[in-house]
Amino acid sequence: MDYGAFITSLLTSFAIFCLLVLVYTVLSRWPMNYNIYYCSRILSGSGPPLLPPRSRFVWNPFAWIKEAFVATDVQLAETAGLDATIYINFFSTALEIFGYSALFCIPVLIPIAVTSHQNERELQINPNNTYEPIDNLAIGNVEPGSSKLWAFLIGVYWVSFVTYYVLVKNYKHMIDLRTSEQAHEKACVQQFSCLVRDIPKPPRGMTRVQQVDTFFKKLHPDSYEKCMVVTNHKKLSEMWSKLESAKKSLVHVESQFDLSKSPTFPEGNRPTHKTGLFGLWGQKVDSIDFYNEQIKELAPQVATEQCRTLEEEQKAAAFVFFNNRRAAAEASQVVHAPYAMQWQVFPAPEPRELVWENLAKPLYERMVRETIIYIVVFFTVVFYMIPIAFISSLTTLNNLVKLVPFIKAIVDYPPLNTVLQAYLPQLALIVFLALLPGLLMLLSRHEGIPSQSLMVRATSGKYFYFVVFNVFIGVTLFGTIFSSLDGFKELLNSRKLSVSNVVTLFGNKLPPNATYFITFVALQFFVGYGLELSRLVPLTIYHLKRKYLCKTEKEVEEAWAPGPLTYETLVPNDMLIVTITLCYSVISPIILIFGLLYFGIGWLVLRNQALKVYVPSFESGGRMWPHIHSRILASLFVAQITMIGYFGIKKFPYTVLVIFLPFITIGFTLICKMNYYPSFQVTSLAIASEVVTQSPSLSAIINAYTPACLQSEADKSEDNDRFEDARSNVSSRTDSGINFSPGGSGQESA
């Protein structure tokens, strides 16, 4: 990318960001848009800010920044949950790493690079070589073998040890956040529960429920209360979904019928529809009568299927419940059977995040599935290099014209040429990557993972390795190839092709690739966070649905429901920026400024969105942090390996000193895993022993772990309050015992 296109991209992205912030400031002040910009507050009952009518026309574009900045982690956890709090603290961690790194790299390394003249010498030797002014700020402008490279070697050590220090400090902070949230005075249902998988076949004459009950009463005689066997309710769930859909449709058409009535036409128009696909063809029927008949037909079928499912579809997994949460914590941390692959006991996931179809999959099947899935992921990563390579080729329009000559007339138009060079490669790459998460989430589900949070982390891990190998390495590798076609042709024609010559060519082209990544990062934080803050797409969709589709209050609520933060895509994309910034922090230190801008703006925007917009669909207790921590260290490892190769290209005689760093990183990773990771894997007994004032009843816990399709209307109406409280409790809390309701002993299956 030439210098003009680079500056154009930055200025245009900044202008778009300022415009989107202005749009947010204006639109968020109108009451008709409160449902989009203050979703979380409305649902929590705190409501949007009350503004006098005149103040809606006088705005402060920085008011939201102050509100996001002053919010504490405690307030953030109470509003958005611990998962969101820890995710946003990841941004704080990245800001610290890049900020401390910039204290050395920018004032020391950039002046050294600027006062060197390697780029000029290369141009004198080969006039075909080109470089932009920004390339003089990078290590590529330093002469090979120069003593100035010592400063860059020190820079690698500085960045590495800054990362170690910040990660240790923040890991302790994350553990404190998790401990504080778990020590809350009100306990949640999962703290009294454990998930049991790989239950062996029951003895002759004994049911599955009796088998589980007998086993745990023997091992936990004073604390064990109940079991609830997992069932295969796939068929029931499909029938129940049809019944609920019919009920929802009936409410919709009845509201539509009521709206059609008027003083001049009190009879109204009864809605009708066709019974064929999407209502496009088939028999035309009265909608109200049709859905009433459908409900009458499906309701008894669902009731019958519920009974059959409970009796005939019990599987080799169960939830077991204890009368105090210390007993549940102990049970989840010990081996229960002589054969460790049987009676495996795990901390119970939160009820809302259960992946029911995976709970009863046997261990051997899970192992086979995992192996197959990772083979598929490996080939996906490898073969995605081909389209990524094509996208990378678009970064040089001159080479594209050589391959596709008929576009020359379009490319030669100066304004269009500048825009294409500035935006096309980055936009094409972003759109292309957006197609991948759905596939990876589907693959993770088929591994046999029991909870949504674990599935999100598995998808995030796959996506991270994909973006590192295909975006970072792919763009660097193939961007060099397509920007150096003449160089490769010269090597081939002159029979000078060798490993050392190819490595040298790639090394010379590595610093200029920093310009591409700087533009990519700038596009992500200026345009990406601008769109996130302004929420133009959800706003447009909401108003269209409200005007043309919504007939009931429930449908209006569903139209503006914000949903949760999508960690499976957010975390890998953020980790890509971490990888890029760490890898180029010493090669081209100017990128640290853009890394700081990305995570600084993101920190403010996402804090604002977490406080006002997003509502978590589940709470895992911050278990995303160990995943993030290990990926930051993986990014640092890639950066260290990159610098070893680059110092070798620069013929620096002391390159061997950098070789120690990857081993230090591996050792640091293992120490952190041993010392800190168990605190996120299970609940410590010290926390589980804390006495609290509020705890759920046993019936509330059972209802929370009963699938919706197995909940009868009588059960819902009888224990509605406790049931709703148990299902909606999203924070990790502690308890000293269960407040039992009358008749709370015995066993159930679900």
Side-chain angles (χ1 to χ4, degrees):
M1 178 184 296
D2 62 49
Y3 189 66
F6 172 69
I7 297 299
T8 299
S9 173
L10 293 183
L11 293 178
T12 307
S13 298
F14 178 71
I16 293 173
F17 177 74
C18 293
L19 177 62
L20 292 173
V21 170
L22 184 63
V23 167
Y24 164 74
T25 307
V26 175
L27 295 180
S28 63
R29 296 249 168 178
W30 293 97
M32 63 185 297
N33 298 328
Y34 281 173
N35 289 346
I36 297 299
Y37 295 107
Y38 303 99
C39 318
S40 178
R41 288 185 174 180
I42 291 173
L43 291 173
S44 65
S46 58
L50 296 177
L51 301 172
R54 291 183 180 179
S55 70
R56 293 173 192 152
F57 300 95
V58 180
W59 62 82
N60 177 5
F62 305 107
W64 66 274
I65 296 178
K66 179 181 178 181
E67 188 174 357
F69 188 83
V70 300
T72 64
D73 283 341
V74 174
Q75 293 172 326
L76 198 61
E78 290 176 352
T79 303
L82 187 59
D83 286 341
T85 305
I86 283 184
Y87 170 63
I88 293 172
N89 270 271
F90 160 48
F91 282 65
S92 306
T93 303
L95 283 171
E96 288 189 66
I97 293 173
F98 298 153
Y100 292 143
S101 298
L103 291 178
F104 176 85
C105 294
I106 290 179
V108 176
L109 301 185
I110 288 181
I112 291 175
V114 170
T115 55
S116 302
H117 306 284
Q118 180 63 18
N119 287 335
E120 294 179 6
R121 293 176 183 173
E122 290 288 339
L123 184 61
Q124 292 174 357
I125 296 173
N126 185 1
N128 292 327
N129 285 339
T130 60
Y131 69 92
E132 300 297 335
I134 195 174
D135 296 334
N136 291 331
L137 307 179
I139 190 175
N141 199 34
V142 178
E143 295 79 5
S146 171
S147 59
K148 296 178 181 179
L149 293 172
W150 271 106
F152 292 88
L153 186 145
I154 294 172
V156 178
Y157 271 85
W158 175 267
V159 172
S160 299
F161 281 92
V162 158
T163 304
Y164 302 146
Y165 165 74
V166 172
L167 286 179
V168 168
K169 181 170 76 83
N170 281 277
Y171 217 137
K172 293 178 180 178
H173 178 56
M174 302 305 172
I175 291 176
D176 290 341
L177 284 175
R178 177 173 162 86
T179 300
S180 175
E181 187 68 9
Q182 287 179 323
H184 199 280
E185 63 179 8
K186 186 177 179 181
C188 59
V189 295
Q190 61 264 31
Q191 293 177 330
F192 299 93
S193 314
C194 289
L195 171 63
V196 186
R197 307 178 83 181
D198 304 297
I199 301 174
K201 186 176 180 180
R204 185 185 298 270
M206 183 180 288
T207 66
R208 180 74 71 183
V209 172
Q210 292 171 339
Q211 176 195 20
V212 176
D213 188 53
T214 301
F215 184 83
F216 279 92
K217 274 189 175 179
K218 178 180 179 181
L219 298 181
H220 305 275
D222 299 325
S223 57
Y224 172 74
E225 286 296 327
K226 258 191 176 184
C227 73
M228 190 172 73
V229 175
V230 172
T231 59
N232 177 14
H233 53 265
K234 182 179 179 181
K235 181 179 179 181
L236 172 62
S237 182
E238 292 174 353
M239 296 173 61
W240 181 82
S241 297
K242 292 180 181 178
L243 177 60
E244 292 299 308
S245 177
K247 292 178 180 179
K248 181 180 175 181
S249 298
L250 178 61
V251 174
H252 176 86
V253 295
E254 286 179 339
S255 298
Q256 187 177 355
F257 178 52
D258 291 338
L259 290 173
S260 69
K261 297 177 181 179
S262 66
T264 59
F265 187 54
E267 298 82 4
N269 288 318
R270 289 182 69 86
T272 60
H273 71 278
K274 295 181 179 179
T275 58
L277 184 64
F278 302 121
L280 299 176
W281 57 76
Q283 181 183 2
K284 192 172 185 179
V285 295
D286 182 288
S287 299
I288 296 177
D289 293 339
F290 177 82
Y291 291 121
N292 271 316
E293 289 298 323
Q294 197 173 47
I295 292 170
K296 291 179 182 179
E297 180 182 349
L298 286 172
Q301 294 179 8
V302 168
T304 302
E305 182 62 23
Q306 285 178 335
C307 296
R308 191 197 68 82
T309 299
L310 291 172
E311 294 176 2
E312 302 177 11
E313 296 291 345
Q314 296 184 9
K315 297 297 179 183
F319 290 99
V320 292
F321 308 113
F322 298 86
N323 59 22
N324 69 84
R325 67 191 199 95
R326 171 169 179 161
E330 290 176 339
S332 67
Q333 299 179 41
V334 298
V335 178
H336 279 72
Y339 299 98
M341 296 173 70
Q342 295 180 347
W343 294 101
Q344 295 197 75
V345 182
F346 305 92
E350 194 192 41
R352 296 178 301 168
E353 63 163 330
L354 290 170
V355 184
W356 288 98
E357 65 267 25
N358 288 340
L359 296 181
K361 283 184 168 53
L363 177 61
Y364 291 110
E365 181 181 339
R366 300 198 302 268
M367 294 171 63
V368 171
R369 283 172 172 266
E370 184 177 2
T371 302
I372 294 173
I373 292 302
Y374 274 92
I375 292 174
V376 173
V377 171
F378 172 78
F379 283 104
T380 301
V381 170
V382 171
F383 288 105
Y384 245 60
M385 290 286 282
I386 298 173
I388 289 290
F390 175 73
I391 292 173
S392 300
S393 70
L394 299 177
T395 59
T396 305
L397 288 177
N398 291 333
N399 287 326
L400 186 61
V401 170
K402 294 178 182 178
L403 297 174
V404 191
F406 63 83
I407 68 167
K408 187 176 187 307
I410 300 175
V411 172
D412 286 345
Y413 182 59
L416 187 58
N417 182 285
T418 302
V419 171
L420 287 174
Q421 288 203 33
Y423 283 107
L424 183 58
Q426 290 78 19
L427 287 174
L429 183 59
I430 291 171
V431 172
F432 202 78
L433 291 177
L435 303 175
L436 188 65
L439 170 63
L440 296 181
M441 182 65 88
L442 180 65
L443 292 175
S444 296
R445 177 177 287 272
H446 282 84
E447 283 185 51
I449 293 174
S451 65
Q452 290 284 345
S453 61
L454 183 55
M455 194 160 64
V456 165
R457 295 196 296 275
T459 301
S460 177
K462 296 177 180 69
Y463 197 23
F464 168 73
Y465 292 119
F466 173 85
V467 295
V468 168
F469 283 100
N470 286 281
V471 179
F472 176 67
I473 297 178
V475 168
T476 301
L477 178 65
F478 288 99
T480 300
I481 292 175
F482 282 100
S483 64
S484 309
L485 291 176
D486 294 336
F488 277 99
K489 289 179 181 178
E490 184 178 348
L491 286 176
L492 292 171
N493 294 336
S494 61
R495 297 181 181 178
K496 294 180 181 178
L497 184 63
S498 65
V499 174
S500 61
N501 287 337
V502 172
V503 170
T504 301
L505 178 61
F506 278 98
N508 292 335
K509 293 297 179 181
L510 190 59
N513 278 330
T515 306
Y516 171 88
F517 286 121
I518 288 173
T519 309
F520 178 78
V521 174
L523 186 65
Q524 290 272 23
F525 68 72
F526 277 142
V527 179
Y529 286 131
L531 288 171
E532 172 62 44
L533 183 67
S534 65
R535 288 179 61 80
L536 288 178
V537 175
L539 180 70
T540 303
I541 294 174
Y542 164 65
H543 284 299
L544 289 174
K545 284 185 175 180
R546 183 180 182 183
K547 183 173 179 62
Y548 298 107
L549 299 178
C550 298
K551 303 299 181 183
T552 65
E553 288 298 323
K554 180 67 174 178
E555 291 173 342
V556 172
E557 291 177 6
E558 292 175 351
W560 61 259
L565 289 164
T566 54
Y567 301 110
E568 64 271 20
T569 55
L570 291 174
V571 172
N573 285 323
D574 297 332
M575 289 307 311
L576 173 62
I577 306 302
V578 170
T579 304
I580 291 170
T581 307
L582 285 176
C583 287
Y584 281 91
S585 60
V586 176
I587 293 174
S588 184
I590 194 70
I591 202 170
L592 286 167
I593 296 176
F594 293 89
L596 286 168
L597 285 172
Y598 177 89
F599 285 99
I601 294 174
W603 183 81
L604 287 171
V605 170
L606 289 173
R607 280 176 77 87
N608 178 78
Q609 304 301 82
L611 289 168
K612 300 175 183 176
V613 178
Y614 291 109
V615 177
S617 60
F618 60 81
E619 183 66 38
S620 71
R623 287 190 173 92
M624 179 61 79
W625 175 249
H627 171 92
I628 291 173
H629 175 271
S630 62
R631 268 61 186 183
I632 293 175
L633 288 172
S635 300
L636 180 64
F637 183 84
V638 172
Q640 292 165 344
I641 296 298
T642 301
M643 290 309 302
I644 291 174
Y646 194 75
F647 277 128
I649 292 169
K650 280 294 184 179
K651 301 177 181 178
F652 185 52
Y654 300 99
T655 302
V656 66
L657 296 177
V658 190
I659 296 177
F660 298 109
L661 284 176
F663 294 101
I664 295 175
T665 299
I666 293 173
F668 178 81
T669 303
L670 294 175
I671 291 173
C672 288
K673 186 173 183 179
M674 289 187 293
N675 194 34
Y676 302 128
Y677 178 68
S679 297
F680 280 84
Q681 193 175 21
V682 296
T683 300
S684 67
L685 296 183
I687 297 300
S689 300
E690 293 287 337
V691 178
V692 295
T693 58
Q694 299 182 48
S695 59
S697 66
L698 181 60
S699 60
I701 298 174
I702 294 173
N703 283 338
Y705 280 97
T706 302
C709 60
L710 283 169
Q711 285 282 338
S712 67
E713 294 299 327
D715 293 336
K716 293 179 183 179
S717 60
E718 179 183 0
D719 198 22
N720 183 63
D721 292 338
R722 288 175 293 171
F723 178 75
E724 290 297 327
D725 289 341
R727 289 183 65 84
S728 62
N729 189 350
V730 298
S731 57
S732 298
R733 309 186 193 280
T734 57
D735 183 42
S736 59
I738 299 178
N739 298 323
F740 296 109
S741 58
S745 60
Q747 298 81 38
E748 295 185 5
S749 62

